[in-house]
Amino acid sequence: MQNFEYIAPINTLSAAQALSPDAGVTAVLAGGTDLLSLLKQHVETPTRVVSLRNISALRGISKRGGGLRIGAMATVEDLLGSKAAAPYESLLQAARGITAPQVRAMGTVAGDLLQRPRCWYFRNGYGLLAKSEGKALVPSGENRYHAILGNKGPAYFVNASSLAPALISLGATVSVAGPEGEREMSVADLYRIPSSDAERENTLAPNEIVTEINVPSASGWSTATYEVRQRQLLDWPLATASVALRMRGGKVSDARVVLGHVAPIPWRSSEAETALKGKAANESSGVEAGKAAMAAATPLSQNKAKVQLATVAVKRAVGMAG
């Protein structure tokens, strides 16, 4: 990997001030489970790496009001072991899907939200939009793991976060610190589909840091996450569905359905939510919701199977939540 300067500030302001406002010049090191591989592959070549390991304020998981506060540097293992997180079943189900002990021990919650795409074109140096000589490589190339929603160009990768769909379905927000202070946004607003090579897949400025994730109370909501995987260890899901249902008189009065690993962003499906409202949460309504979620899917030449996998993920998540 390229040589770089390493610093480990003791507070978030110092960390943000150490980051460059220009993309690619500096990088944030949390658990390192993603960044180190990017450095070794020369996909990222920062001149300075800013470690968050010494910032104690970024750690810990605790109740806050009626909700949950997750420090950005809390690990997946911390999340799974937290009594405060017990009411958030969909989030814990998503975390349990991360089975590698090394990733659970070192990977952080914020790091999971912000990991770069696992697209093999991106990881092999063809850029976020996977182009060679100005031509998109994905549509006519190896695309069986690529997007089936939000893929009308120029981005075809899928968002790699395991935890984002569950957090979005739970209405979670993130606090973000920069040199000028802090701001808060929904987890959903953390992501975007890049339209050019100059954009990244998240909306953070290069000198901003996620400091914590705040999850509202889950009281009154039934939640579940279902993942479809090719292998159970050291792998990413092929499709994920996280649902949050509010029931009234045995019927769904409100629904949130968020799909993962099928689009360049965690994909909230208003179609599936509409299909569920007023229905009992069971296999039949789950099938309808799954079909509705995939109504606008545009599979590529090799990934049509992902449409069926995502349909099944929605059906089973609805059944688990019901």
Side-chain angles (χ1 to χ4, degrees):
M1 65 178 73
Q2 175 179 291
N3 290 336
F4 54 80
E5 177 189 13
Y6 172 87
I7 62 173
I10 60 172
N11 59 62
T12 54
L13 178 59
S14 297
Q17 290 174 337
L19 292 169
S20 171
D22 299 319
V25 178
T26 53
V28 174
L29 175 64
T33 56
D34 188 23
L35 180 62
L36 291 179
S37 63
L38 292 168
L39 295 175
K40 290 177 180 178
Q41 294 169 317
H42 293 271
V43 176
E44 293 201 11
T45 55
T47 57
R48 173 186 290 171
V49 170
V50 180
S51 172
L52 306 182
R53 63 179 298 175
N54 292 334
I55 307 177
S56 59
L58 301 184
R59 300 190 180 276
I61 300 175
S62 59
K63 293 181 180 179
R64 174 178 285 173
L68 181 70
R69 181 260 179 195
I70 306 171
M73 287 290 286
T75 65
V76 176
E77 195 171 78
D78 293 336
L79 180 62
L80 289 169
S82 170
K83 292 181 179 179
Y88 300 90
E89 185 58 27
S90 61
L91 180 59
L92 294 177
Q93 287 167 342
R96 291 185 197 114
I98 304 170
T99 55
Q102 303 95 323
V103 178
R104 283 189 176 186
M106 295 300 297
T108 65
V109 174
D112 174 87
L113 296 180
L114 294 171
Q115 63 182 298
R116 304 301 308 275
R118 299 287 163 175
C119 166
W120 43 47
Y121 297 102
F122 171 66
R123 296 275 166 165
N124 282 282
Y126 289 98
L128 188 60
L129 301 182
K131 293 182 179 180
S132 179
E133 298 179 352
K135 180 182 178 181
L137 298 172
V138 176
S140 60
E142 288 285 341
N143 55 41
R144 60 188 182 273
Y145 300 130
H146 286 77
I148 56 174
L149 290 164
N151 64 346
K152 295 184 179 180
Y156 299 95
F157 61 85
V158 298
N159 181 269
S161 175
S162 293
L163 305 179
L167 287 168
I168 292 171
S169 71
L170 290 165
T173 62
V174 292
S175 295
V176 176
E180 306 303 321
E182 292 199 8
R183 62 189 178 107
E184 189 169 4
M185 70 174 84
S186 69
V187 173
D189 288 340
L190 192 58
Y191 303 102
R192 67 179 170 194
I193 300 177
S195 58
S196 72
D197 291 316
E199 293 180 344
R200 285 178 67 129
E201 69 279 8
N202 66 67
T203 59
L204 293 183
N207 56 355
E208 287 186 316
I209 300 165
V210 170
T211 59
E212 62 184 25
I213 300 94
N214 294 291
V215 193
S217 170
S219 178
W221 292 91
S222 298
T223 71
T225 293
Y226 188 86
E227 298 179 340
V228 180
R229 290 177 176 269
Q230 188 168 353
R231 294 172 296 188
Q232 293 302 309
L233 188 64
L234 290 173
D235 206 356
W236 282 261
L238 299 173
T240 298
S242 288
V243 303
L245 307 177
R246 191 185 291 277
M247 309 297 293
R248 181 179 298 164
K251 307 290 185 181
V252 177
S253 62
D254 196 4
R256 300 172 188 157
V257 179
V258 185
L259 305 174
H261 305 275
V262 295
I265 58 175
W267 193 267
R268 184 165 178 177
S269 175
S270 60
E271 298 88 349
E273 294 169 359
T274 299
L276 286 169
K277 290 178 181 178
K279 310 279 182 59
N282 54 30
E283 182 174 351
S284 176
S285 62
V287 169
E288 289 183 37
K291 289 180 179 178
M294 290 294 104
T298 53
L300 302 172
S301 60
Q302 298 176 10
N303 68 359
K304 187 175 181 180
K306 289 189 74 169
V307 175
Q308 178 61 21
L309 297 181
T311 302
V312 169
V314 172
K315 179 190 77 170
R316 294 189 178 175
V318 170
M320 290 164 62

